[in-house]
Amino acid sequence: MNVVLMRGLTDCEVAMLATALQISYEDAQKALDWRKLPQGLENPIFGNPYNVYRALISLGYWKKNITLTDILTGKYQPGKTCCLIHNPQSPTLSQHWI
């Protein structure tokens, strides 16, 4: 599996999508319509779940929701499972796709 790394501080959704689908960083960036914005605004705009779902659909994929129990018990596909984690005190601006 080819792991695609972030190229900045706020492009985790690009790296996550590229790694999960095994596509280039540039293809994931284009599908997400991702671009650098001032003051970290790309997180709520491009990193929200709806934009990721839209990008998946545009690339010919669909999502499957799983639970924390699924993850903890190993009922997930390693390298293909994407998860958005966030800080409860700032769920919109302090988030990270893994």
Side-chain angles (χ1 to χ4, degrees):
M1 168 173 273
N2 180 35
V3 176
V4 178
L5 300 177
M6 293 172 57
R7 295 184 180 173
L9 297 175
T10 58
D11 59 341
C12 57
E13 58 273 23
V14 179
M16 172 274 303
L17 193 66
T19 299
L21 301 181
Q22 291 294 278
I23 60 176
S24 72
Y25 180 98
E26 291 75 18
D27 287 343
Q29 183 179 22
K30 183 178 178 183
L32 289 161
D33 196 26
W34 194 95
R35 59 186 144 288
K36 182 87 173 132
L37 297 175
Q39 301 177 359
L41 288 175
E42 52 275 85
N43 279 340
I45 296 173
F46 305 120
N48 71 73
Y50 298 107
N51 193 49
V52 172
Y53 300 160
R54 185 200 54 73
L56 283 168
I57 292 167
S58 75
L59 292 166
Y61 294 88
W62 188 247
K63 67 178 179 69
K64 175 186 175 193
N65 293 330
I66 62 171
T67 65
L68 178 58
T69 301
D70 292 332
I71 293 172
L72 296 175
T73 58
K75 297 177 183 172
Y76 68 99
Q77 188 174 0
K80 296 288 184 186
T81 301
C82 305
C83 182
L84 179 63
I85 58 173
H86 61 87
N87 179 338
Q89 272 68 45
S90 182
T92 304
L93 295 176
S94 294
Q95 61 186 24
H96 184 65
W97 281 100
I98 56 174

